Amino acid sequence: MLRRAVGGYKRGSFSQLWLHRRCIHTNVIDTLRARHFVQAVTSEAITKRVETPIAVYCGVDPTASSLHLGNMVTLMGLLHFSLAGHQAIPLVGNATGSIGDPSGRNTERIALDHKELAKNVAGIEAQLIRFFSRGTQYALSRIPNLDPSSLKPVRVLHNADWYTGLGVLDFLGTVGRHARVGTMMARDSVKSRLQSVHGISFTEFSYQLLQAYDFWHLYHFHKCHVQIGGSDQWGNITAGTDLIHRMHGPQSDKSEAFGLTIPLLTTASGEKFGKSAGNAIWLDETRTSPFDIYQFFVKTADSDVERFLKMFTLLPLPRIAQIIGEHARAPHTFIAQKLLATEVTELIHGPQGVQQALCATQVLFGNRQTLEEHKFTSDDFDAAFGCDQRMVKVASASVVGKSVADIAVLLGSCKSKSEATRLAKGGGLYWNGSVVVDSKWVPSVEKGDFVGDGTVGIVRTGKTNYRLLKLLDS
């Protein structure tokens, strides 16, 4: 079990503490509803139950080495619980991940070998710890009067911990005797597969029992009363609440175990996001860079931007309403999309990720004035383009006295100086966002012709062909 400490919870008047912090809602369920996080709940009594601190969990199966935006929606819901003083438990399904969840799939998942599964588990675990750490830091700068000492440590658990050593006879005797085949067959995830050409294997059919047992184990040993998940997890979640009720006997209070589902991430047009949809936006910066995260959200449609601001940021709702109002008056400025992109990039990658994204954005889409206004440093360019083949590093002495045409050829922007000359005459050659009218012009560090602490020159030919020259000390 890994722990990521973000403070300890101080007992006292929970509702008053929450009201003092958020000044909007006294109940986290109200907050989630206001931000479009609630698709369905197993019982409306959940609203009353969360008035006192409880443990809440959501599970992530390690079917890939990185989380994506679809996962992030559920994790944002869990983050809201954490910030309200509840115990958040992200569960890595290193046991269930070897089986495969049939929910939302037309065919059976390809089984992972032990090496790939271990790699995925390590990647997911590290990201969960990083997400809640950065999420807490982000929250501290967005939520007035949020005291980190009022928060419980986030606990990352693995479900293999309680399946190791549990034999099939023990599992069937403990869980199987309480399961009803008719109910299992009625789950949407099972019915849809039974009606398909491929059908469903017994392995995936049994998946719901494993997730149900996860909930029972966390309920019994960690006093976890709430499971949250995407709307496609409704059947698996209710399997857990039913199992808890049955295993604790008819005298137990079923309302003590709750499920809450969150709408799957889609655009207003109904397009889904995720691995299965083939358009995943990954939280791992080596798979989706901070720049690409920023660009994804800055291109959000007007019809989606308000909902995404509520779901993917912790900005106060009045602030979001204000921004949407300003955007409606001047939609051509994309003020709401730019704010959304900045907030989400910071939440995922931290302030340094925002700086990288803005640097890359200004290089690719800005001009000389915007580059100078942002005052990007040499390190900013290295962070944004260090692994990008479009940035060429050369000794400063080797370009002293060279014309912009020479530099364009050196960078590969032009095949020859004559091509650079033709582009300049036609207005198609740019240096740091400004049109170059004379290809014989010589950029000078001393005259301030380079940005990034006087070390970077940006050559653009046409509309989208960029190259960066990075000067190194001789």
Side-chain angles (χ1 to χ4, degrees):
M1 178 184 72
L2 295 182
R3 292 172 180 259
R4 177 68 187 185
V6 291
Y9 179 75
K10 293 181 178 179
R11 295 192 178 274
S13 179
F14 185 76
S15 295
Q16 283 84 347
L17 173 64
W18 175 239
L19 178 61
H20 176 64
R21 288 206 312 256
R22 287 287 178 103
C23 302
I24 299 176
H25 297 296
T26 60
N27 189 292
V28 65
I29 301 299
D30 293 337
T31 298
L32 293 175
R33 290 189 190 280
R35 290 180 176 267
H36 308 297
F37 276 99
V38 180
Q39 176 88 12
V41 293
T42 55
S43 170
E44 290 298 332
I46 188 175
T47 305
K48 178 69 174 178
R49 183 63 184 86
V50 299
E51 290 180 356
T52 55
I54 57 172
V56 184
Y57 100 94
C58 73
V60 180
D61 278 350
T63 53
S65 61
S66 174
L67 301 166
H68 52 76
L69 282 186
N71 302 126
M72 184 177 168
V73 175
T74 306
L75 293 178
M76 286 298 294
L78 193 60
L79 180 61
H80 277 288
F81 274 100
S82 177
L83 296 174
H86 299 289
Q87 172 70 72
I89 303 177
L91 178 67
V92 180
N94 51 342
T96 46
S98 64
I99 300 298
D101 183 0
S103 301
R105 293 186 61 86
N106 297 320
T107 59
E108 187 162 351
R109 295 181 186 271
I110 298 174
L112 301 176
D113 60 41
H114 292 297
K115 184 177 181 180
E116 185 176 6
L117 182 62
K119 176 185 175 183
N120 291 353
V121 168
I124 295 293
E125 182 176 75
Q127 281 191 343
L128 288 170
I129 293 172
R130 186 163 57 247
F131 175 81
F132 283 98
S133 175
R134 285 180 174 164
T136 301
Q137 292 303 312
Y138 170 79
L140 289 170
S141 64
R142 300 303 189 279
I143 302 176
N145 305 315
L146 178 60
D147 180 6
S149 67
S150 69
L151 310 181
K152 288 179 176 289
V154 172
R155 304 172 64 188
V156 180
L157 302 180
H158 304 111
N159 62 6
D161 291 345
W162 47 86
Y163 284 109
T164 301
L166 179 63
V168 63
L169 294 180
D170 290 333
F171 182 79
L172 290 175
T174 303
V175 179
R177 71 173 63 256
H178 295 291
R180 294 295 175 264
V181 174
T183 302
M184 295 175 67
M185 297 279 287
R187 307 285 186 206
D188 289 340
S189 59
V190 173
K191 286 195 299 184
S192 62
R193 288 286 294 277
L194 286 174
Q195 295 167 1
S196 70
V197 176
H198 302 283
I200 186 171
S201 68
F202 178 76
T203 299
E204 287 197 333
F205 175 68
S206 302
Y207 181 93
Q208 57 185 292
L209 295 183
L210 299 175
Q211 187 165 329
Y213 184 69
D214 285 343
F215 197 0
W216 177 85
H217 181 93
L218 293 171
Y219 178 92
H220 187 73
F221 292 101
H222 297 274
K223 298 181 180 178
C224 179
H225 291 268
V226 177
Q227 179 184 177
I228 66 174
S231 57
D232 60 345
Q233 292 297 304
W234 178 257
N236 293 333
I237 291 174
T238 54
T241 57
D242 289 345
L243 181 64
I244 290 169
H245 174 62
R246 291 178 182 276
M247 289 185 69
H248 281 267
Q251 302 303 318
S252 67
D253 183 0
K254 187 178 180 179
S255 66
E256 281 298 295
F258 302 93
L260 181 152
T261 56
I262 297 172
L264 297 180
L265 179 61
T266 62
T267 65
S269 62
E271 182 184 7
K272 294 181 180 180
F273 294 97
K275 283 198 316 304
S276 300
N279 57 356
I281 303 297
W282 304 97
L283 304 194
D284 183 345
E285 62 184 9
T286 65
R287 301 181 71 167
T288 302
S289 69
F291 166 74
D292 289 324
I293 289 281
Y294 183 91
Q295 288 300 315
F296 172 81
F297 280 101
V298 87
K299 295 174 183 177
T300 299
D302 288 346
S303 54
D304 291 318
V305 68
E306 181 177 8
R307 178 167 56 94
F308 284 6
L309 277 168
K310 291 178 179 180
M311 297 187 75
F312 285 106
T313 82
L314 296 177
L315 293 172
L317 296 181
R319 171 64 174 152
I320 292 175
Q322 176 191 358
I323 287 296
I324 294 301
E326 293 177 12
H327 176 74
R329 291 189 290 273
H332 62 281
T333 64
F334 299 102
I335 183 174
Q337 284 88 345
K338 290 177 181 177
L339 178 62
L340 171 66
T342 300
E343 294 290 311
V344 178
T345 304
E346 180 175 342
L347 175 58
I348 297 173
H349 295 298
Q352 69 278 9
V354 175
Q355 191 73 351
Q356 291 178 32
L358 291 177
C359 179
T361 298
Q362 292 306 321
V363 166
L364 299 179
F365 306 112
N367 53 42
R368 178 61 184 261
Q369 180 181 350
T370 56
L371 282 170
E372 292 178 345
E373 287 175 351
H374 282 86
K375 301 185 185 305
F376 295 116
T377 66
S378 176
D379 290 341
D380 290 332
F381 282 96
D382 279 336
F385 294 96
C387 299
D388 195 318
Q389 295 181 348
R390 290 175 296 184
M391 185 164 76
V392 179
K393 298 180 180 181
V394 300
S396 57
S398 65
V399 296
V400 171
K402 289 189 178 294
S403 68
V404 67
D406 292 321
I407 295 174
V409 174
L410 173 67
L411 297 179
S413 297
C414 298
K415 294 180 180 179
S416 64
K417 292 174 64 175
S418 59
E419 180 186 355
T421 299
R422 288 195 300 271
L423 284 171
K425 288 182 178 180
L429 181 63
Y430 296 80
W431 176 267
N432 289 345
S434 298
V435 176
V436 175
V437 295
D438 182 2
S439 63
K440 296 180 180 179
W441 171 70
V442 178
S444 169
V445 174
E446 289 75 17
K447 294 180 180 179
D449 296 325
F450 288 77
V451 294
D453 303 326
T455 65
V456 177
I458 305 162
V459 173
R460 175 162 68 91
T461 54
K463 293 183 177 181
T464 60
N465 184 19
Y466 291 83
R467 295 290 189 277
L468 286 80
L469 172 68
K470 178 67 184 294
L471 301 180
L472 305 176
D473 293 335
S474 301

